[in-house]
Amino acid sequence: MTSKTTFPTLPDIRMAHARIQPMIHRTPILTNSAIDHLAGCEIYFKCENFQKVGAFKARGAANAVLKLSSEQRSRGVATHSSGNHAAALARAASAAGIKSYIVMPSTAPEIKKKAVESYGGQIIFCEPTLEARQRTLDEVVADTGAAFIPPYDHLDVIEGQATCALEIWEEELSLDALVAPVGGGGLLGGTALTTHYLAPKCKVYGAEPEGADDAYRSFQADQLIPMKNPKTIADGLLTSLGNLNWEIIRRYVTDVLTASDEEIIAAMRLVYERMKIVIEPSCAVPLAVVIKYPAYFNGKKVGVILSGGNVDLGKLPF
C-alpha cells in the first residue's frame, strides 16, 4: 500500500449505491427510549441485521461482483470468511450467475455454513487460523482461477460498505457521533469515508472486543499491529485490520473503543429485550461501548450501526 492509493470518492460511493440497489435493502433506522435513558444519549440504530443475508456485508460483496469484467466472472469468485461475507459473496455470485468458492473455518457458526450452501456457494473447510484460511484460499484460487474478493481489504468492498453511512446521512439526523464495529475494517473504513465527505464535524468511533483489539492497539501506536490469537464471543470481529482500511481509519476515525465479552453480551441482551430484534454478538459491540463510555456520548445524538443478525439461536450467550 502506498500513499498513491485512491480511495472511493463521494461520487464513487453514490454510484455504488445506485449499482447495488437491486441486490440490497434500504434498512430502517430505529430508536428505543429505554436504551436512550440507560445510555444517557439519543441513539439511532441503523439496522443492517435486516439487510440481505442478514448483514451489511451484502453491500460490499454485491458492489465487488458487479464491477468484475466478463472474463473475471467466467472464472467465478473466491474468498475466506467466518460467515457473513461468505454468505454475501455466495449470494451476489448466484445473482450474477457465476460460481463462488468459499473457504470457511470449521468452527464457523452452523447458521452461516447453511446460509452459504443455500446461496449455492461451494464451501472448502479449513482450520480456524488466519494462516490456514490464507493457505487454503491460495490453493483454491490456483486451482480455479477465481477472482479473490477479500472480506474487507478491497477498494470495491470498502466502496460498497460506505453506502450504509450514505443512507444514514440521507436521513438528515444531525448526528454528533457515529459508531461502527471493527474487525477487518471495511465497514468502519467506509463509514469514516462517507462521514468525512458529508458530515466532517461528526466524530466516528470504532467499537472492538477486548479479546480482538488490534485496531485499538494500532490506533494507540499509530502503526498497524496485526492480531494474534484473538478470543472473543464476537466471531465476526476475529480478523486483523486490513491495510487499506487502516489508512482510512488512521485519517478519519476519532478513536477506537473496546468492550469486554461480558459487556458485549449485556448489550446484546438489552437489544433483544428492549428492541425485540435479533442481533449477533459482533453487532452488539457498538452499543456496549456507548454504554461503557458516557463521557464520550452523554447528551449526544449517536448513530450506531447494527451490523448483522446471523446468530445460532440454540447457542445464545444468555
Side-chain angles (χ1 to χ4, degrees):
M1 234 270 331
T2 70
S3 59
K4 294 181 181 180
T5 299
T6 301
F7 292 109
T9 63
L10 183 58
D12 290 334
I13 295 167
R14 292 193 191 281
M15 283 191 288
H17 194 236
R19 182 182 301 118
I20 66 177
Q21 283 306 297
M23 298 175 71
I24 66 164
H25 290 311
R26 185 183 184 96
T27 54
I29 293 175
L30 302 182
T31 59
N32 185 274
S33 58
I35 296 178
D36 284 356
H37 180 74
L38 177 66
C41 57
E42 290 182 41
I43 303 178
Y44 295 84
F45 295 95
K46 177 63 169 170
C47 294
E48 288 292 286
N49 54 317
F50 296 155
Q51 187 52 265
K52 297 286 190 178
V53 307
F56 75 93
K57 296 280 191 178
R59 298 174 182 271
N63 192 53
V65 166
L66 291 173
K67 292 182 78 172
L68 291 173
S69 68
S70 297
E71 183 181 350
Q72 288 172 315
R73 292 190 188 198
S74 70
R75 296 191 296 271
V77 292
T79 198
H80 59 79
S81 169
S82 62
N84 286 338
H85 176 68
L89 188 65
R91 178 181 173 274
S94 178
I98 65 178
K99 292 182 178 180
S100 61
Y101 306 93
I102 313 296
V103 176
M104 297 186 78
S106 55
T107 54
E110 199 63 32
I111 187 174
K112 296 182 179 181
K113 296 176 186 176
K114 290 179 179 177
V116 172
E117 291 172 344
S118 73
Y119 294 125
Q122 181 178 328
I123 300 176
I124 302 93
F125 290 111
C126 67
E127 292 301 307
T129 66
L130 296 177
E131 294 80 10
R133 283 193 192 195
Q134 190 60 53
R135 183 177 64 253
T136 307
L137 175 75
D138 291 344
E139 294 170 356
V140 170
V141 170
D143 289 343
T144 64
F148 172 39
I149 307 294
Y152 46 85
D153 207 32
H154 187 285
L155 290 174
D156 293 340
V157 172
I158 296 168
E159 183 180 273
Q161 314 308 24
T163 65
C164 178
L166 181 66
E167 292 180 1
I168 294 172
W169 291 114
E170 286 177 348
E171 296 297 320
E172 299 182 350
L173 295 171
S174 301
L175 299 175
D176 300 303
L178 185 53
V179 190
V182 55
L187 179 61
L188 180 59
T191 298
L193 269 183
T194 302
T195 302
H196 167 68
Y197 296 139
L198 290 175
K201 292 182 179 179
C202 177
K203 295 181 177 181
V204 177
Y205 294 93
E208 192 172 42
E210 288 178 357
D213 65 346
D214 57 301
Y216 168 80
R217 289 184 291 109
S218 298
F219 202 84
Q220 297 301 311
D222 196 31
Q223 64 178 357
L224 187 59
I225 302 173
M227 187 69 215
K228 294 183 179 179
N229 302 316
K231 187 177 182 181
T232 174
I233 192 172
D235 64 279
L237 305 180
L238 292 170
T239 47
S240 287
L241 191 61
N243 292 302
L244 294 171
N245 296 302
W246 165 239
E247 289 301 321
I248 299 170
I249 288 166
R250 73 192 303 188
R251 296 182 200 181
Y252 302 127
V253 169
T254 303
D255 206 349
V256 178
L257 307 174
T258 63
S260 68
D261 273 12
E262 291 76 17
E263 290 161 339
I264 293 166
I265 292 168
M268 183 179 175
R269 179 167 184 157
L270 185 65
V271 169
Y272 274 65
E273 290 180 342
R274 295 295 185 173
M275 297 182 72
K276 320 301 182 190
I277 60 176
V278 173
I279 64 169
E280 60 190 90
S282 302
C283 185
V285 183
L287 177 58
V289 302
V290 170
I291 293 171
K292 183 176 182 177
Y293 297 97
Y296 288 78
F297 304 106
N298 191 41
K300 303 290 179 60
K301 295 180 71 173
V302 183
V304 164
I305 298 178
L306 295 179
S307 54
N310 295 316
V311 63
D312 187 340
L313 295 177
K315 296 181 180 178
L316 289 175
F318 45 77

